Every structure is written in structure tokens, then in C-alpha cells.
Amino acid sequence: MHLDELFRANDGLVTRGQLLSVISRKALASHLQAGAMVRVCHGVYAPEPPDTLGRLAALELATGRPIVACMGTAAELHGFDIENDGRIHVLDPGIRIRPTPELMVHQRNGAPLRRAQGRLVTSPAWTAVEIARTLNRRRVLATLDVALRSATCSAPELQRAIGEQKGRRGIVAVRELLAHADARSESPMESEARLVFIDGGLPTPVLQHEIIDHCGQLWRVDFAWPDAMVAAEYDSMQWHSSPEGWKRDRIKSARLGECGWSLVRFVVDDVRRHPADLVLTLSNRLDARRLAG
């Protein structure tokens, strides 16, 4: 049997023993050195680097035990991973697995399990809370927001997961910020900005507010205070660096201005390095509009 046939017959993953049944040890070493195949984990090989599902399947093949994904790996399979640390996170399968820079093994008792993309994983709410409590405060709200936005769990389910993880490190911040979690937040940086607004004492904005201009065109803004006709937008470098994005932003600002709206644009440094200045700018705009009204 040729190597490609062997890999196809075994869903792209084969053990060292299977390989040595068709090629020599020297040939195996040569194939690895030439990049004709890769070692996925101890004793398991693939023709090319596998995706997350393949890496989990390789661990099951290596250990002979069911593998349960947790933390960022579970979040990825649920569809709400925003940290993207690149590592595989699994629960301890009850057999010794040596952690590596690419593999983290966790001891987590009591974690409820589900299936996502055919794999056994910790439940969405448990996963979101467990990740959130390991992060700095500004990323806690972002994690809760994206978990809700994914529609894999609800606020009551997150609240239950917080109760199940009571007393664990970081849980207080998660409990505090759950009340502010909102599925309408469309990016982690929007969530971080909203936390700046909350901490700065600004009135609660309306998220993803829609405005129709005098030409009948519909525009949507990230944050709005409709009574004061003040809006705020997060400008990501990726989107707004293109000529098309820049042109659209200019048109949007002009059209909203014609309708009487005051639009504040901000970037990542405003949120992370100069939050007090951002709050002051918005507060001044809100106060000016109230006085003018």
C-alpha cells in the first residue's frame, strides 16, 4: 500500500506502527525532513498540518481515550473564540499526556459537556465563563458578548455557569460584567469601548443604531445616544485603511451631519491608551447637545 492510500484509508491520520508497516524508519525520517508528512502528536502523523478537529482526532488516536476539548479550543468549535492562542486545550483524559507549547491539559471537575462539530467539548456557557475569568477585565465583557452573539448560550445559562464556578479565580469580574453583556456587540473592540463608557459613567448607548439620512439611505452606527443625537464609531485599521472604506466613512459622516448627528470616531489607542480622553470627548458632546436642546 502506498503512503497516500494509507492516509486516505485512515482519514488522514496514521500511527507510527502503521507507517512502519509500509516504509522503513529511515524512510519515515526522510519524509518528515522533506515535509512530505508531519508529526501531529506522539506517534501520530498526517500528510499536512491538520485543523483543530484533526489535532483532536490525533490525540484520541495517540491515547486511545475520548478527548474533551475545553477553553479556547471548545470556544473555537462553538464559534466564539476571540483569543486565538493557537493551542489545543483538552480536559485530562485520565492518562498521562505531556503538555507542550501547542497542547494544554486542564484539570476541570464538574464541567458539563456537549458536542460541537462532532467533538465532545465543555458546554458553551461553561466555556465562556471559564475563559472570561482568566482574562483581563476589558476582555471579560468581550468574551461574554461574543458568546451571547454566537447564540450558543443565553444570559441565564451564563449566570448558572458563574454559579457553578463560584469561588474560582477571576469569577467576581465575570459576575459583575454579565449584567452589561450584549449580543448586539459586533467586535471585541466594540465591547472594550463599551466597558470604557461604563467605567467612565457615560449614559448607556444604543448599540447598532440605525439612521436614515435625507437621501433615504440607511446607516448604522456602533453606539448612539439618540436623545442627544450623538453617535460613536470604532474605526478598525483593517477596514478603514482601504480607499473604499475611507470614502464611505467620509460620506457617512457628512450625511449624518446633515441630519443633525454629531459623530465621534475612535481607534484602538483611544480605547486602550487614552480611555479618559475618549470619555471626556463623548461627555462634552453629550453635554453640548443637551444644552443646545
Side-chain angles (χ1 to χ4, degrees):
M1 178 181 290
H2 294 295
L3 279 178
D4 56 350
E5 295 174 336
L6 180 64
F7 281 117
R8 281 198 302 270
N10 292 277
D11 297 322
L13 296 170
V14 298
T15 65
R16 179 180 175 84
Q18 289 173 312
L19 283 172
L20 293 180
S21 69
V22 296
I23 61 174
S24 67
R25 287 181 173 82
K26 184 177 180 180
L28 172 57
S30 296
H31 278 79
L32 289 171
Q33 186 174 8
M37 68 176 72
V38 296
R39 178 181 177 275
V40 184
C41 60
H42 180 71
V44 180
Y45 301 82
E48 57 187 20
D51 60 11
T52 297
L53 293 174
R55 293 165 74 184
L56 292 169
L59 281 172
E60 286 197 344
L61 187 58
T63 62
R65 299 287 184 92
I67 294 295
V68 180
C70 63
M71 297 293 289
T73 306
E76 178 187 344
L77 298 183
H78 287 307
F80 59 78
D81 180 28
I82 59 172
E83 298 305 315
N84 304 310
D85 73 5
R87 296 178 294 179
I88 292 293
H89 296 264
V90 301
L91 297 184
D92 184 351
I95 185 173
R96 180 175 174 79
I97 301 179
R98 180 177 297 175
T100 69
E102 295 79 32
L103 173 66
M104 296 292 293
V105 181
H106 301 267
Q107 301 288 339
R108 294 292 186 268
N109 296 324
L113 306 182
R114 299 286 188 276
R115 285 201 175 271
Q117 300 189 43
R119 301 297 315 184
L120 201 59
V121 300
T122 52
S123 72
W126 175 282
T127 301
V129 170
E130 186 166 44
I131 291 173
R133 63 184 183 79
T134 68
L135 301 174
N136 62 51
R137 190 168 175 271
R138 69 168 183 258
R139 298 298 283 184
V140 171
L141 186 58
T143 297
L144 298 176
D145 282 350
V146 73
L148 289 177
R149 185 170 180 79
S150 73
T152 59
C153 57
S154 64
E157 288 171 329
L158 289 170
Q159 186 67 63
R160 284 196 295 273
I162 289 171
E164 292 165 349
Q165 298 182 45
K166 181 180 179 180
R168 298 186 180 181
R169 180 176 60 85
I171 201 67
V172 173
V174 182
R175 183 184 301 114
E176 171 201 346
L177 291 176
L178 178 59
H180 300 289
D182 196 314
R184 293 173 296 175
S185 184
E186 293 189 344
S187 75
M189 282 309 304
E190 288 183 25
S191 300
E192 290 193 29
R194 203 166 82 257
L195 183 57
V196 167
F197 302 162
I198 292 167
D199 289 346
L202 293 176
T204 302
V206 176
L207 305 189
Q208 313 309 330
H209 185 64
E210 295 182 341
I211 303 166
I212 299 177
D213 67 22
H214 293 324
C215 298
Q217 185 169 355
L218 177 66
W219 301 94
R220 192 172 62 165
V221 293
D222 299 333
F223 308 97
W225 292 266
D227 291 345
M229 297 190 74
V230 172
E233 288 249 292
Y234 168 65
D235 285 350
S236 70
M237 294 299 101
Q238 180 178 2
W239 167 253
H240 297 282
S241 62
S242 70
E244 295 79 9
W246 181 84
K247 181 179 178 181
R248 179 177 172 82
D249 286 346
R250 292 292 297 269
I251 294 172
K252 183 176 186 177
S253 296
R255 294 281 186 86
L256 296 185
E258 291 169 358
C259 296
W261 282 83
S262 176
L263 179 61
V264 176
R265 295 191 175 277
F266 60 90
V267 296
V268 61
D269 278 359
D270 295 313
V271 176
R272 292 185 173 176
R273 300 181 63 183
H274 310 292
D277 292 343
L278 176 58
V279 169
L280 181 60
T281 297
L282 285 167
S283 181
N284 287 340
R285 293 284 184 95
L286 291 168
D287 290 344
R289 287 306 182 96
R290 290 192 190 97
L291 290 173

